[in-house]
Amino acid sequence: MKSTNSARLNSNKRHIYAVILMVGLAAAGVYQWPAGIYAAEQSLLGGRVMTATGEALAGIPVRAHRDGGNMTVTVYTNSRGEYSFPEWSDVSAGSYSVAIELAEFAPARREAVALSAVRTARVDLTLQPRQPSVRDATASDIIAALPGTDDQKHLLIQCDNCHSLQHALRAPHSKEEWVQIIRRMAGERAVSRETPGTRAFGQKKYVEPLAEYLAMVRGPGSSNDIPFKLRPRPTGEASTRVVVTEYDLPRAGSREVNIIRGDRRAAWPHDVLVDPKGPYVWYTDHFAFFLGRLDRRTGEIKEFPYDLLQGMGRAETGMVAQAQERAGNPGGGAHDMAYDPEGNIIFGMGGGTLRFNPKTEEFTRWASGSNMFGLDPAGNVWYLDAGLHKLDPKTGEIKSFTVPPDTDDATYDMEVDPQGRSVMNHFRLGQIGVFDPQTEKYTAYPTPTPGSGPRRGQIDAQGRAWMGLYWAGRVGMFDPNQREIREYPLIPGSKPFTPPFVSPYSVAVDNKNQIVWTNDFNSSRIYRLDMKTAESTEFFMPDPYEVRDLTVDQTASRPTLWIPAYRPPSRMVKVQVW
């Protein structure tokens, strides 16, 4: 009993001391976390965001940029309009600009805000409403406001892949002119396809209906104004418990530069890879011959240039040069990245494979390969190029296997599971294909939703393949052992091919926290899917990033996602939630 009473007395003393400490901190001006978040955690910067009439604004991104630095950190206001930068964020003592930049409000900014570890700065901001511009609208915003049926709108949503819908709808055209534009953008090879079960852009049976719809909404005599309706930001507690850190790239350029897709004056980060044993995050550049490295401790960025043709024979040089000239990939189209068993970085190009040794900073090249590939447990590179092939980087030997003739053209991404099986996402077929090297047998499994458009994905720790179902607005999970595909809607109760036309492009798996992440290609949204409950959470990003890859930092203390923001303008982005 004596021991119990002593423990209670010590506990009461600690409680009293804690109260005294908190009162002292409040008197000193230290801003505490808003109630219901982390009551005991301090912050270097916090405040409140309101309207001119005193109404609290929730879900507002508040951005802090360190003067002279390349990092911008964003937090979000809660239901009371309060925001606070947690002590574990990348905000440290120094001089900052604090800003809110949203389409529906006039910009609000406070310059030269001094942050100190001793006294917390408080910045309250009042927002004045303004009329948004069509330049602020995402594809999802424009599609929601256009007339027409869901099927017509779903065809149009495909036109924002290389350019914005504002660009696509900038000038009126007749139906005949729209047919020619669609054929030119899709390529004659795509237009000639008649693939059952697909809703892919440019398919012959969709050219005429899409041209008719475009002539209806943007034909001769139509208004120059493009209608749009901004989609509401998520304001729930789970959606606002997020910290976004943006790192400006050395060649990021400006918004104007990045509008022109493929302009090599700017960086176009396509894929991302986190070093599990060190401080670095790596990225490929889609249109220039650079491999980028970001130090996530300091924000320092270093780029490693490479010559794709150096050291190759005449035949190999011709193959790679031809690949570089493929439409849409003037820089070779660097995509996929993976670590091999020795810790080297393997990445794919349009018609080649490269290996980078982080210790020696040397590149090794093979003229065979693809920008999408899978790496098996032994370090062999599996890729599609008029058949399925296995490249052994140790010897340079290539072994080929027979798969259906439409497999190569239909596949957008592929991974290799722990059993060495190649799992292929057949984007144009609405199927998942599996090749077993032990039996050399190929099997295809259709997704529950026909024409779902499986795009990029990842294998989890259980050997299950997760992927974005681009057209269906869902995340798919394929278990090769159970031979079963499940689909998870990102918006509860939503049906495939209906507004707001969420288009999951890429998927990243967080095995430690049992989370699957994905992005909506048509809006500035990121989604988190709980593997156990299938519950999804929507996050609004500070800028409408164009995202083509995601990856998880499995070593982080809290769920952490890395994003190569393709545009506008190009950045590397870290998303942390709690």
Side-chain angles (χ1 to χ4, degrees):
M1 178 67 76
K2 184 177 179 180
S3 175
T4 302
N5 289 336
S6 177
R8 288 178 178 172
L9 179 60
N10 290 333
S11 176
N12 290 336
K13 285 182 179 179
R14 288 195 298 269
H15 177 71
I16 292 171
Y17 293 154
V19 172
I20 293 173
L21 177 62
M22 291 179 67
V23 172
L25 290 173
V30 177
Y31 189 76
Q32 298 295 319
W33 273 93
I37 300 183
Y38 278 143
E41 187 162 5
Q42 297 178 17
S43 169
L44 297 186
L45 173 63
R48 195 165 185 235
V49 179
M50 299 168 290
T51 66
T53 58
E55 178 186 358
L57 290 171
I60 300 292
V62 182
R63 311 176 80 168
H65 178 79
R66 187 185 181 96
D67 295 342
N70 73 325
M71 286 191 289
T72 302
V73 184
T74 301
V75 297
Y76 295 75
T77 57
N78 62 16
S79 60
R80 296 176 296 280
E82 300 164 328
Y83 73 89
S84 188
F85 287 79
E87 62 180 1
W88 47 261
S89 71
D90 291 295
V91 169
S92 58
S95 179
Y96 284 76
S97 62
V98 180
I100 296 175
E101 299 172 345
L102 285 172
E104 64 267 42
F105 296 102
R109 180 179 293 272
R110 193 80 56 84
E111 301 288 356
V113 178
L115 303 189
S116 168
V118 177
R119 182 182 180 85
T120 300
R122 173 156 186 155
V123 176
D124 295 331
L125 295 168
T126 300
L127 299 185
Q128 302 288 344
R130 72 170 177 182
Q131 187 64 34
S133 164
V134 69
R135 293 187 62 182
D136 302 312
T138 66
S140 179
D141 298 330
I142 293 174
I143 285 292
L146 286 174
T149 66
D150 288 349
D151 281 344
Q152 289 173 320
K153 293 183 178 184
H154 191 266
L155 288 175
L156 179 58
I157 205 72
Q158 304 171 61
C159 295
D160 72 328
N161 191 54
C162 297
H163 302 282
S164 66
L165 281 185
Q166 290 91 326
H167 179 84
L169 299 173
R170 70 190 186 283
H173 298 282
S174 66
K175 175 188 171 183
E176 292 71 23
E177 291 170 333
W178 279 119
V179 166
Q180 295 306 312
I181 292 172
I182 295 168
R183 287 180 174 273
R184 184 169 66 251
M185 294 302 294
E188 288 301 322
R189 182 183 176 192
V191 170
S192 65
R193 280 191 300 262
E194 284 286 12
T195 308
T198 186
R199 300 173 73 92
F201 174 74
Q203 290 284 305
K204 185 177 180 180
K205 63 180 178 181
Y206 293 124
V207 171
E208 289 283 332
L210 177 56
E212 289 177 1
Y213 180 61
L214 283 166
M216 181 184 80
V217 299
R218 200 69 179 96
S222 63
S223 171
N224 292 330
D225 295 331
I226 300 174
F228 67 96
K229 180 180 180 181
L230 296 184
R231 190 168 151 197
R233 297 181 311 278
T235 57
E237 182 180 355
S239 295
T240 56
R241 292 165 68 96
V242 57
V243 177
V244 179
T245 305
E246 301 168 296
Y247 303 82
D248 296 330
L249 299 184
R251 296 179 296 113
S254 66
R255 288 177 181 271
E256 286 69 28
V257 169
N258 282 337
I259 287 174
I260 309 301
R261 183 175 185 262
D263 191 321
R264 299 192 199 182
R265 291 174 294 172
W268 296 81
H270 198 285
D271 275 43
V272 59
L273 184 67
V274 174
D275 185 348
K277 299 179 180 179
Y280 299 124
V281 176
W282 301 85
Y283 63 88
T284 51
D285 190 314
H286 193 194
F287 294 109
F289 300 125
F290 289 99
L291 180 65
R293 186 187 73 187
L294 163 68
D295 189 326
R296 53 188 192 266
R297 301 165 304 182
T298 64
E300 180 185 5
I301 294 169
K302 182 177 181 179
E303 294 188 324
F304 300 88
Y306 55 90
D307 181 351
L308 196 61
L309 305 181
Q310 182 179 352
M312 291 187 176
R314 174 177 289 184
E316 293 177 322
T317 299
M319 292 170 59
V320 176
Q322 184 180 12
Q324 291 182 50
E325 297 305 320
R326 290 177 181 173
N329 292 332
H335 281 49
D336 258 349
M337 309 175 73
Y339 278 109
D340 71 9
E342 285 74 41
N344 300 305
I345 297 173
I346 304 291
F347 62 101
M349 305 289 292
T353 301
L354 286 92
R355 180 177 65 199
F356 177 75
N357 186 324
K359 296 179 181 179
T360 65
E361 299 183 357
E362 294 178 336
F363 291 91
T364 304
R365 307 159 189 82
W366 294 269
S368 301
S370 176
N371 48 28
M372 299 288 193
F373 66 90
L375 201 68
D376 69 20
N380 298 307
V381 178
W382 292 79
Y383 64 93
L384 289 162
D385 184 12
L388 180 64
H389 312 279
K390 180 181 73 172
L391 166 67
D392 185 344
K394 297 183 181 67
T395 65
E397 179 185 1
I398 299 173
K399 185 176 181 180
S400 300
F401 303 88
T402 300
V403 291
D406 57 353
T407 300
D408 188 359
D409 192 50
T411 303
Y412 197 82
D413 192 23
M414 65 179 295
E415 303 288 336
V416 177
D417 72 5
Q419 307 301 318
R421 294 172 293 198
S422 293
V423 182
M424 295 163 269
N425 297 339
H426 296 330
F427 177 57
R428 300 189 185 280
L429 299 176
Q431 298 174 350
I432 305 299
V434 179
F435 179 83
D436 189 334
Q438 299 299 322
T439 62
E440 297 192 10
K441 180 181 179 182
Y442 166 89
T443 308
Y445 303 88
T447 57
T449 300
S452 61
R455 206 146 196 176
R456 304 199 68 180
Q458 190 177 349
I459 306 290
D460 69 13
Q462 301 178 48
R464 302 175 302 182
W466 295 81
M467 74 290 299
L469 301 179
Y470 189 79
W471 301 130
R474 300 169 182 269
V475 166
M477 188 274 287
F478 171 65
D479 188 331
N481 296 317
Q482 300 295 326
R483 300 180 182 179
E484 178 184 43
I485 301 175
R486 297 180 184 176
E487 296 183 353
Y488 302 89
L490 296 175
I491 298 179
S494 65
K495 296 181 180 180
F497 319 118
T498 60
F501 300 112
V502 177
S503 293
Y505 192 102
S506 184
V507 161
V509 176
D510 185 340
N511 292 296
K512 182 170 67 173
N513 297 290
Q514 292 292 284
I515 292 170
V516 175
W517 293 91
T518 191
N519 65 295
D520 178 12
F521 196 74
N522 299 323
S523 72
S524 49
R525 316 295 163 121
I526 301 293
Y527 290 87
R528 179 184 65 190
L529 181 72
D530 190 307
M531 286 186 185
K532 298 177 181 178
T533 66
E535 180 182 357
S536 67
T537 304
E538 178 182 322
F539 299 95
F540 177 80
M541 293 293 99
D543 247 347
Y545 312 131
E546 182 176 329
V547 179
R548 295 171 180 267
D549 189 37
L550 308 166
T551 198
V552 168
D553 184 352
Q554 303 282 0
T555 67
S557 58
R558 56 185 49 81
T560 301
L561 179 74
W562 281 90
I563 301 170
Y566 199 65
R567 62 177 174 184
S570 304
R571 305 184 184 111
M572 294 296 289
V573 181
K574 177 175 64 178
V575 178
Q576 298 168 287
V577 299
W578 69 94

PDB file of all heavy atoms in Angstrom, residues 32-56:
ATOM      1  N   GLN A  32       1.280  26.306 -28.328  1.00  0.00           N
ATOM      2  CA  GLN A  32       1.047  24.879 -28.143  1.00  0.00           C
ATOM      3  C   GLN A  32       0.220  24.315 -29.278  1.00  0.00           C
ATOM      4  O   GLN A  32      -0.523  25.037 -29.948  1.00  0.00           O
ATOM      5  CB  GLN A  32       0.334  24.626 -26.794  1.00  0.00           C
ATOM      6  CG  GLN A  32       1.135  25.062 -25.583  1.00  0.00           C
ATOM      7  CD  GLN A  32       2.395  24.243 -25.420  1.00  0.00           C
ATOM      8  OE1 GLN A  32       2.373  23.034 -25.608  1.00  0.00           O
ATOM      9  NE2 GLN A  32       3.492  24.885 -25.086  1.00  0.00           N
ATOM     10  N   TRP A  33       0.313  23.008 -29.470  1.00  0.00           N
ATOM     11  CA  TRP A  33      -0.528  22.345 -30.461  1.00  0.00           C
ATOM     12  C   TRP A  33      -1.994  22.574 -30.135  1.00  0.00           C
ATOM     13  O   TRP A  33      -2.387  22.552 -28.979  1.00  0.00           O
ATOM     14  CB  TRP A  33      -0.255  20.841 -30.471  1.00  0.00           C
ATOM     15  CG  TRP A  33       0.859  20.464 -31.372  1.00  0.00           C
ATOM     16  CD1 TRP A  33       2.164  20.322 -31.039  1.00  0.00           C
ATOM     17  CD2 TRP A  33       0.766  20.182 -32.755  1.00  0.00           C
ATOM     18  NE1 TRP A  33       2.902  19.973 -32.136  1.00  0.00           N
ATOM     19  CE2 TRP A  33       2.073  19.876 -33.200  1.00  0.00           C
ATOM     20  CE3 TRP A  33      -0.277  20.162 -33.679  1.00  0.00           C
ATOM     21  CZ2 TRP A  33       2.357  19.549 -34.502  1.00  0.00           C
ATOM     22  CZ3 TRP A  33       0.008  19.831 -34.983  1.00  0.00           C
ATOM     23  CH2 TRP A  33       1.301  19.542 -35.380  1.00  0.00           C
ATOM     24  N   PRO A  34      -2.832  22.787 -31.157  1.00  0.00           N
ATOM     25  CA  PRO A  34      -4.265  22.900 -30.922  1.00  0.00           C
ATOM     26  C   PRO A  34      -4.797  21.671 -30.204  1.00  0.00           C
ATOM     27  O   PRO A  34      -4.299  20.572 -30.373  1.00  0.00           O
ATOM     28  CB  PRO A  34      -4.850  23.011 -32.349  1.00  0.00           C
ATOM     29  CG  PRO A  34      -3.720  23.560 -33.164  1.00  0.00           C
ATOM     30  CD  PRO A  34      -2.479  22.976 -32.569  1.00  0.00           C
ATOM     31  N   ALA A  35      -5.824  21.883 -29.393  1.00  0.00           N
ATOM     32  CA  ALA A  35      -6.414  20.786 -28.626  1.00  0.00           C
ATOM     33  C   ALA A  35      -6.859  19.668 -29.545  1.00  0.00           C
ATOM     34  O   ALA A  35      -7.393  19.898 -30.625  1.00  0.00           O
ATOM     35  CB  ALA A  35      -7.617  21.309 -27.831  1.00  0.00           C
ATOM     36  N   GLY A  36      -6.622  18.421 -29.104  1.00  0.00           N
ATOM     37  CA  GLY A  36      -7.046  17.274 -29.885  1.00  0.00           C
ATOM     38  C   GLY A  36      -5.997  16.796 -30.856  1.00  0.00           C
ATOM     39  O   GLY A  36      -6.195  15.810 -31.537  1.00  0.00           O
ATOM     40  N   ILE A  37      -4.849  17.489 -30.939  1.00  0.00           N
ATOM     41  CA  ILE A  37      -3.792  17.016 -31.831  1.00  0.00           C
ATOM     42  C   ILE A  37      -2.662  16.449 -30.988  1.00  0.00           C
ATOM     43  O   ILE A  37      -2.631  15.283 -30.674  1.00  0.00           O
ATOM     44  CB  ILE A  37      -3.304  18.139 -32.772  1.00  0.00           C
ATOM     45  CG1 ILE A  37      -4.485  18.633 -33.629  1.00  0.00           C
ATOM     46  CG2 ILE A  37      -2.196  17.648 -33.682  1.00  0.00           C
ATOM     47  CD1 ILE A  37      -4.116  19.686 -34.639  1.00  0.00           C
ATOM     48  N   TYR A  38      -1.710  17.289 -30.586  1.00  0.00           N
ATOM     49  CA  TYR A  38      -0.648  16.856 -29.680  1.00  0.00           C
ATOM     50  C   TYR A  38      -0.492  17.947 -28.638  1.00  0.00           C
ATOM     51  O   TYR A  38       0.295  18.867 -28.790  1.00  0.00           O
ATOM     52  CB  TYR A  38       0.674  16.655 -30.432  1.00  0.00           C
ATOM     53  CG  TYR A  38       0.819  15.337 -31.133  1.00  0.00           C
ATOM     54  CD1 TYR A  38       1.458  15.244 -32.348  1.00  0.00           C
ATOM     55  CD2 TYR A  38       0.310  14.176 -30.564  1.00  0.00           C
ATOM     56  CE1 TYR A  38       1.595  14.029 -33.004  1.00  0.00           C
ATOM     57  CE2 TYR A  38       0.438  12.955 -31.210  1.00  0.00           C
ATOM     58  CZ  TYR A  38       1.071  12.895 -32.424  1.00  0.00           C
ATOM     59  OH  TYR A  38       1.203  11.689 -33.059  1.00  0.00           O
ATOM     60  N   ALA A  39      -1.244  17.843 -27.557  1.00  0.00           N
ATOM     61  CA  ALA A  39      -1.334  18.929 -26.590  1.00  0.00           C
ATOM     62  C   ALA A  39       0.014  19.267 -25.973  1.00  0.00           C
ATOM     63  O   ALA A  39       0.241  20.390 -25.546  1.00  0.00           O
ATOM     64  CB  ALA A  39      -2.340  18.569 -25.506  1.00  0.00           C
ATOM     65  N   ALA A  40       0.920  18.293 -25.875  1.00  0.00           N
ATOM     66  CA  ALA A  40       2.173  18.522 -25.187  1.00  0.00           C
ATOM     67  C   ALA A  40       3.319  18.876 -26.134  1.00  0.00           C
ATOM     68  O   ALA A  40       4.424  19.124 -25.685  1.00  0.00           O
ATOM     69  CB  ALA A  40       2.552  17.280 -24.382  1.00  0.00           C
ATOM     70  N   GLU A  41       3.092  18.903 -27.434  1.00  0.00           N
ATOM     71  CA  GLU A  41       4.175  19.131 -28.382  1.00  0.00           C
ATOM     72  C   GLU A  41       4.262  20.604 -28.745  1.00  0.00           C
ATOM     73  O   GLU A  41       3.251  21.249 -29.026  1.00  0.00           O
ATOM     74  CB  GLU A  41       3.968  18.289 -29.636  1.00  0.00           C
ATOM     75  CG  GLU A  41       5.143  18.372 -30.575  1.00  0.00           C
ATOM     76  CD  GLU A  41       5.137  17.240 -31.581  1.00  0.00           C
ATOM     77  OE1 GLU A  41       4.185  16.464 -31.600  1.00  0.00           O
ATOM     78  OE2 GLU A  41       6.106  17.143 -32.335  1.00  0.00           O
ATOM     79  N   GLN A  42       5.465  21.141 -28.730  1.00  0.00           N
ATOM     80  CA  GLN A  42       5.674  22.538 -29.036  1.00  0.00           C
ATOM     81  C   GLN A  42       5.853  22.742 -30.531  1.00  0.00           C
ATOM     82  O   GLN A  42       6.102  21.803 -31.278  1.00  0.00           O
ATOM     83  CB  GLN A  42       6.899  23.058 -28.286  1.00  0.00           C
ATOM     84  CG  GLN A  42       6.747  23.004 -26.778  1.00  0.00           C
ATOM     85  CD  GLN A  42       7.990  23.488 -26.079  1.00  0.00           C
ATOM     86  OE1 GLN A  42       8.830  24.148 -26.682  1.00  0.00           O
ATOM     87  NE2 GLN A  42       8.111  23.165 -24.810  1.00  0.00           N
ATOM     88  N   SER A  43       5.770  23.999 -30.923  1.00  0.00           N
ATOM     89  CA  SER A  43       5.892  24.344 -32.331  1.00  0.00           C
ATOM     90  C   SER A  43       6.630  25.664 -32.449  1.00  0.00           C
ATOM     91  O   SER A  43       6.490  26.544 -31.599  1.00  0.00           O
ATOM     92  CB  SER A  43       4.509  24.454 -32.964  1.00  0.00           C
ATOM     93  OG  SER A  43       4.580  25.033 -34.246  1.00  0.00           O
ATOM     94  N   LEU A  44       7.427  25.801 -33.505  1.00  0.00           N
ATOM     95  CA  LEU A  44       8.110  27.065 -33.742  1.00  0.00           C
ATOM     96  C   LEU A  44       7.198  28.110 -34.374  1.00  0.00           C
ATOM     97  O   LEU A  44       7.477  29.298 -34.326  1.00  0.00           O
ATOM     98  CB  LEU A  44       9.314  26.855 -34.663  1.00  0.00           C
ATOM     99  CG  LEU A  44      10.442  25.955 -34.160  1.00  0.00           C
ATOM    100  CD1 LEU A  44      11.604  25.975 -35.141  1.00  0.00           C
ATOM    101  CD2 LEU A  44      10.893  26.350 -32.780  1.00  0.00           C
ATOM    102  N   LEU A  45       6.107  27.638 -34.983  1.00  0.00           N
ATOM    103  CA  LEU A  45       5.230  28.547 -35.710  1.00  0.00           C
ATOM    104  C   LEU A  45       3.805  28.022 -35.668  1.00  0.00           C
ATOM    105  O   LEU A  45       3.564  26.835 -35.887  1.00  0.00           O
ATOM    106  CB  LEU A  45       5.691  28.672 -37.174  1.00  0.00           C
ATOM    107  CG  LEU A  45       4.805  29.444 -38.148  1.00  0.00           C
ATOM    108  CD1 LEU A  45       4.703  30.909 -37.728  1.00  0.00           C
ATOM    109  CD2 LEU A  45       5.341  29.332 -39.569  1.00  0.00           C
ATOM    110  N   GLY A  46       2.865  28.896 -35.385  1.00  0.00           N
ATOM    111  CA  GLY A  46       1.458  28.518 -35.382  1.00  0.00           C
ATOM    112  C   GLY A  46       0.584  29.743 -35.515  1.00  0.00           C
ATOM    113  O   GLY A  46       1.063  30.884 -35.513  1.00  0.00           O
ATOM    114  N   GLY A  47      -0.707  29.531 -35.611  1.00  0.00           N
ATOM    115  CA  GLY A  47      -1.618  30.654 -35.729  1.00  0.00           C
ATOM    116  C   GLY A  47      -3.018  30.208 -36.104  1.00  0.00           C
ATOM    117  O   GLY A  47      -3.378  29.037 -35.944  1.00  0.00           O
ATOM    118  N   ARG A  48      -3.780  31.148 -36.634  1.00  0.00           N
ATOM    119  CA  ARG A  48      -5.168  30.877 -36.991  1.00  0.00           C
ATOM    120  C   ARG A  48      -5.478  31.557 -38.312  1.00  0.00           C
ATOM    121  O   ARG A  48      -4.953  32.640 -38.604  1.00  0.00           O
ATOM    122  CB  ARG A  48      -6.105  31.381 -35.895  1.00  0.00           C
ATOM    123  CG  ARG A  48      -7.522  30.835 -36.009  1.00  0.00           C
ATOM    124  CD  ARG A  48      -8.286  31.054 -34.720  1.00  0.00           C
ATOM    125  NE  ARG A  48      -9.610  30.437 -34.780  1.00  0.00           N
ATOM    126  CZ  ARG A  48     -10.748  31.090 -34.565  1.00  0.00           C
ATOM    127  NH1 ARG A  48     -10.727  32.384 -34.265  1.00  0.00           N
ATOM    128  NH2 ARG A  48     -11.908  30.453 -34.625  1.00  0.00           N
ATOM    129  N   VAL A  49      -6.345  30.924 -39.105  1.00  0.00           N
ATOM    130  CA  VAL A  49      -6.758  31.455 -40.401  1.00  0.00           C
ATOM    131  C   VAL A  49      -8.267  31.658 -40.374  1.00  0.00           C
ATOM    132  O   VAL A  49      -9.021  30.731 -40.054  1.00  0.00           O
ATOM    133  CB  VAL A  49      -6.360  30.515 -41.551  1.00  0.00           C
ATOM    134  CG1 VAL A  49      -6.817  31.080 -42.895  1.00  0.00           C
ATOM    135  CG2 VAL A  49      -4.854  30.291 -41.562  1.00  0.00           C
ATOM    136  N   MET A  50      -8.697  32.889 -40.717  1.00  0.00           N
ATOM    137  CA  MET A  50     -10.121  33.239 -40.648  1.00  0.00           C
ATOM    138  C   MET A  50     -10.532  34.068 -41.865  1.00  0.00           C
ATOM    139  O   MET A  50      -9.682  34.588 -42.600  1.00  0.00           O
ATOM    140  CB  MET A  50     -10.392  34.044 -39.372  1.00  0.00           C
ATOM    141  CG  MET A  50     -10.075  33.329 -38.075  1.00  0.00           C
ATOM    142  SD  MET A  50     -10.094  34.454 -36.662  1.00  0.00           S
ATOM    143  CE  MET A  50      -8.633  35.431 -36.984  1.00  0.00           C
ATOM    144  N   THR A  51     -11.831  34.182 -42.037  1.00  0.00           N
ATOM    145  CA  THR A  51     -12.371  35.117 -43.017  1.00  0.00           C
ATOM    146  C   THR A  51     -12.421  36.503 -42.391  1.00  0.00           C
ATOM    147  O   THR A  51     -12.162  36.682 -41.202  1.00  0.00           O
ATOM    148  CB  THR A  51     -13.785  34.705 -43.447  1.00  0.00           C
ATOM    149  OG1 THR A  51     -14.661  34.822 -42.311  1.00  0.00           O
ATOM    150  CG2 THR A  51     -13.815  33.272 -43.963  1.00  0.00           C
ATOM    151  N   ALA A  52     -12.769  37.499 -43.194  1.00  0.00           N
ATOM    152  CA  ALA A  52     -12.857  38.873 -42.694  1.00  0.00           C
ATOM    153  C   ALA A  52     -13.933  39.024 -41.634  1.00  0.00           C
ATOM    154  O   ALA A  52     -13.879  39.931 -40.800  1.00  0.00           O
ATOM    155  CB  ALA A  52     -13.120  39.822 -43.855  1.00  0.00           C
ATOM    156  N   THR A  53     -14.901  38.115 -41.633  1.00  0.00           N
ATOM    157  CA  THR A  53     -15.983  38.169 -40.639  1.00  0.00           C
ATOM    158  C   THR A  53     -15.684  37.313 -39.413  1.00  0.00           C
ATOM    159  O   THR A  53     -16.545  37.143 -38.558  1.00  0.00           O
ATOM    160  CB  THR A  53     -17.316  37.721 -41.271  1.00  0.00           C
ATOM    161  OG1 THR A  53     -17.164  36.381 -41.789  1.00  0.00           O
ATOM    162  CG2 THR A  53     -17.713  38.650 -42.402  1.00  0.00           C
ATOM    163  N   GLY A  54     -14.501  36.732 -39.345  1.00  0.00           N
ATOM    164  CA  GLY A  54     -14.116  35.961 -38.178  1.00  0.00           C
ATOM    165  C   GLY A  54     -14.455  34.488 -38.244  1.00  0.00           C
ATOM    166  O   GLY A  54     -14.302  33.770 -37.241  1.00  0.00           O
ATOM    167  N   GLU A  55     -14.867  33.989 -39.407  1.00  0.00           N
ATOM    168  CA  GLU A  55     -15.197  32.572 -39.537  1.00  0.00           C
ATOM    169  C   GLU A  55     -13.928  31.750 -39.704  1.00  0.00           C
ATOM    170  O   GLU A  55     -13.066  32.072 -40.517  1.00  0.00           O
ATOM    171  CB  GLU A  55     -16.103  32.373 -40.753  1.00  0.00           C
ATOM    172  CG  GLU A  55     -16.471  30.923 -41.016  1.00  0.00           C
ATOM    173  CD  GLU A  55     -17.246  30.742 -42.312  1.00  0.00           C
ATOM    174  OE1 GLU A  55     -17.530  31.759 -42.981  1.00  0.00           O
ATOM    175  OE2 GLU A  55     -17.537  29.586 -42.659  1.00  0.00           O
ATOM    176  N   ALA A  56     -13.813  30.688 -38.927  1.00  0.00           N
ATOM    177  CA  ALA A  56     -12.642  29.816 -39.015  1.00  0.00           C
ATOM    178  C   ALA A  56     -12.659  29.048 -40.334  1.00  0.00           C
ATOM    179  O   ALA A  56     -13.719  28.588 -40.786  1.00  0.00           O
ATOM    180  CB  ALA A  56     -12.621  28.855 -37.836  1.00  0.00           C
TER     181      ALA A  56
END
